[in-house]
Amino acid sequence: MALRDPNEVRFRAPRRHHAALWVAVFDALATAQVQAADPPDSVVELPTVQVIGTTPLPGLGVPLKDVPANVQTFGAREIDRQRWPTLGDFMLNNAGSVTTNTAQGNPYQPDIYFRGFAASAVLGTPQGLSVFLDGMRVNESFGDVVNWDLIPRAAIGRVDLMPGSNPVFGLNTLGGALSIQTKNGRQFPGASIEASGGSFGRSEVNFEMGGALERWDGFLAGTYASDNGWADHNSSTVRQLFGKVGWRDARTSVEASLNFADNTLEGNQTIPLSFLDDVRQAYTFPDRNTNKVSALNLVGQHAISERLSLAGNVYYRSYRNTNVSSNVNDEFETDDDEPQGFNDRSTLDEQTWGVALQLIVRDTLGEQRNQLVLGMSGDFGSDQFTQDSQPAEFTSNRATIGIGDFEPETAASTRNQYFGLYFADTLELGADWSLSVSGRYNVARVTILDESGESPELNGVNTFRRFNPAVGVTYSPSERLTAYAAYNEGTRAPTALELTCADPEAPCKLPNNFLADPPLEQVVAKTVEIGARGRASPALQWSAALYRTELDNDIQFISSGGAALNTGYFANVGQTRRQGLELGAIVHTEWMELAVHYSLIDATYQTAFVEHSPSNSSADANGDIVVQPGDRIAGIPRQSAKLRVDFRITPQWDLAFSAVYNSGVYARGDENNQDVNAKVPGYAVVNFDTRWRITNALELFARVDNVFDNRYASVGVLGQNFFTGPGHIFGPTVGVGPVAEQFRGMGAPRGAWIGLRYAFDADR
């Protein structure tokens, strides 16, 4: 049987399934499905329909041939089969132009880059991607970060990666938008449980169950993962639970979902080059994040008539983060009373809610088919942030020991109000051509309030407005070829975190010391893309794209270059550019599936500016460097390539290899590309996975990551290493001062895991 194209959505007539009677709770959902008119063992295969979600709300699609972008789509089959621990790992190994790095030192908190734009869990990373889960915005209102550990991997049914500055997706859509759709009981019936374990003390249990009964359906999935970490002090405990209930009739569908997570993640940070004698060691510790979320999302669709339909969602999300981090005091002097370091402790309580509504009109314009979407959305956030600090000293293994009381540093609240009105129109121009026109008017209001009573100058309201347009055209002379061209614009409003940390004379320490700083301008992205896709034969699918995204008033986090690597400030740095080439191909045969991607990303500054980076070897006497037009943006590899080949050895045994290559990157703080340490070297990693279906119900699976045990780093940052004494102890106490070094985020060594999956519905 041929392996399927992951971009194809196939619809099957539902079948009756029978679960194991001795597991009552699984049986209740696995057998509660709509009885089809066909015999139980028959399957009706309907024609393949390729549709792409072009708005954040689920349920509305446009045929792929009418989408003027190099969109990438992945289904649950691919995600579940490869069994990567996080969505970020899956995308790194399967999606073109996607790269990741490990600046935080924890596998569940990656920086994910697409075309050089980030969606990161790390405060201070400029965010350029918008992310939606069933239409619910999951960019946090505090810093627009994305906590990848809070997305329920076991419940992911489909992922659409939309490139460009598509205005319909709203704020943060500078380089792309990621729309994640979760599973439901009607499309994913049956029940299964799997358990795995192996290297680094990692163990994981996943379960899912789903089914339908007449107009109702339900789905439930959960994950528990425990990982000691491949390095010192980067352990993880992940607990996720997702449930969905749906109801539908001939004209209306409603789905309500609940998402819970309670995770504890430790990071071992980047380490200086002098620490590479043991890449498992941490620079300082502890550094711990506890993330908790409870989210309710209600999504509905109603067909008013054959031509008119409504879709909408309402959501509420409660998020709490507690962070404890250890930091060096970069003002330490041996002849004064300054502490060696600090324990910084922060708490963020965030409440977000939103509503979206869109009207879909399917009609004809003249004699041509036309689909018009009119929509509105509102996303609101309320954040309470507190931070306090405790003086500390370092032990011989660089742990911080408190030597005083915690003293409050920051107490502030912020309010975000994001409003949008948008439209998207797709008009077929004859049999071969289609025209897409869209636009969105955004209003972003950010309010900051001082809660300490000591910094009233913080109080203020910042408002940003803009209309962003888009236009595209596609040409499909046959089913085997589609060519397209597009232009679109998007914006990102400065966050409260950035607005209060924008003074180069008073760098702040992230998460943030709130200060009254100069205002920032919103970022405006303008993207041009041309490309083509098609099928050279029934077995070969290909795509190619050229793009350029220009950013005006780009916001960067400028490191102050001291011992505290998370110290710096945000600034508008003028114009930046990301441009590149994407090539991709997928080959399907009866016994093999091959996917290849190549990406060239040229990410550069286009405006000169001065940056304070005293750890850069080319800095002047004041510690400043001059960034010139054409200098490459740090952290973004110029070239990346990935390959995956999946062999069907027998009908019961699959075996796969994947490889990822990323070229070298400049370190943060080396924005002028002149530091003596040069780039962080490029790397290649090969992975292996296999699946053996022992019976219809029981599957054995295994994977090996970094098969050849390559030692590599994915990110770098310039800073001062204070641990220059014997055995990497605190140097100033033994008369050895700090040394400017390049710090690197190291990748994991070789690891192997094995597991079993049991399907309670053997026919699933």
Side-chain angles (χ1 to χ4, degrees), residues 738-759:
V739 175
E741 290 194 53
Q742 184 186 91
F743 290 61
R744 291 182 180 174
M746 305 303 297
R750 179 170 52 229
W753 300 269
I754 190 168
L756 285 170
R757 176 183 184 271
Y758 186 82

Side-chain angles (χ1 to χ4, degrees), residues 555-600:
I555 297 175
Q556 297 280 314
F557 182 72
I558 309 298
S559 172
S560 64
L565 300 181
N566 61 340
T567 299
Y569 60 94
F570 296 94
N572 290 116
V573 295
Q575 189 176 80
T576 62
R577 174 186 296 162
R578 280 85 163 168
Q579 61 184 2
L581 166 69
E582 295 172 341
L583 301 173
I586 300 175
V587 178
H588 298 269
T589 70
E590 289 290 329
W591 58 273
M592 184 266 293
E593 178 181 283
L594 171 69
V596 182
H597 295 278
Y598 170 78
S599 303
L600 173 68

Side-chain angles (χ1 to χ4, degrees), residues 20-229:
L21 295 177
W22 58 273
V23 184
V25 64
F26 281 31
D27 179 72
L29 280 173
T31 61
Q33 299 176 42
V34 179
Q35 183 175 358
D38 300 298
D41 294 331
S42 68
V43 175
V44 178
E45 191 81 30
L46 300 181
T48 297
V49 179
Q50 293 181 276
V51 294
I52 301 299
T54 54
T55 69
L57 288 173
L60 173 68
V62 173
L64 179 60
K65 72 179 186 65
D66 296 332
V67 178
N70 190 24
V71 64
Q72 300 179 71
T73 296
F74 304 96
R77 170 183 168 272
E78 298 300 310
I79 297 171
D80 293 344
R81 185 179 65 181
Q82 296 186 30
R83 291 185 172 88
W84 291 101
T86 70
L87 178 59
D89 291 321
F90 174 84
M91 298 195 56
L92 170 65
N93 285 272
N94 292 273
S97 292
V98 171
T99 60
T100 67
N101 67 50
T102 55
Q104 194 75 349
N106 185 281
Y108 291 91
Q109 291 183 306
D111 290 349
I112 295 181
Y113 285 84
F114 174 59
R115 289 187 174 181
F117 293 92
S120 168
V122 181
L123 287 166
T125 302
Q127 308 290 332
L129 301 176
S130 58
V131 183
F132 296 86
L133 182 68
D134 290 336
M136 175 176 61
R137 178 182 168 91
V138 295
N139 293 83
E140 307 292 354
S141 64
F142 191 77
D144 282 335
V145 301
V146 179
N147 288 296
W148 297 102
D149 61 296
L150 302 181
I151 295 175
R153 184 187 63 82
I156 295 175
R158 173 175 168 141
V159 174
D160 289 332
L161 180 57
M162 295 288 298
S165 311
N166 189 329
V168 173
F169 286 88
L171 296 174
N172 283 96
T173 312
L174 303 181
L178 188 67
S179 178
I180 304 167
Q181 307 297 325
T182 59
K183 300 174 181 177
N184 63 48
R186 196 171 300 273
Q187 293 179 330
F188 295 88
S192 66
I193 187 168
E194 66 179 50
S196 62
S199 298
F200 320 136
R202 181 187 302 169
S203 59
E204 182 172 331
V205 177
N206 292 282
F207 76 89
E208 62 178 275
M209 60 185 84
L213 180 62
E214 297 180 348
R215 295 181 178 179
W216 293 89
D217 66 89
F219 181 82
L220 184 67
T223 295
Y224 175 81
S226 178
D227 189 336
N228 294 334

Side-chain angles (χ1 to χ4, degrees), residues 9 232 246 289 313 347 514 569 631 640 716 740 748 756:
V9 181
D232 298 335
N289 274 292
N313 82 317
T347 300
F514 276 35
Y569 60 94
D631 288 340
S640 66
L756 285 170

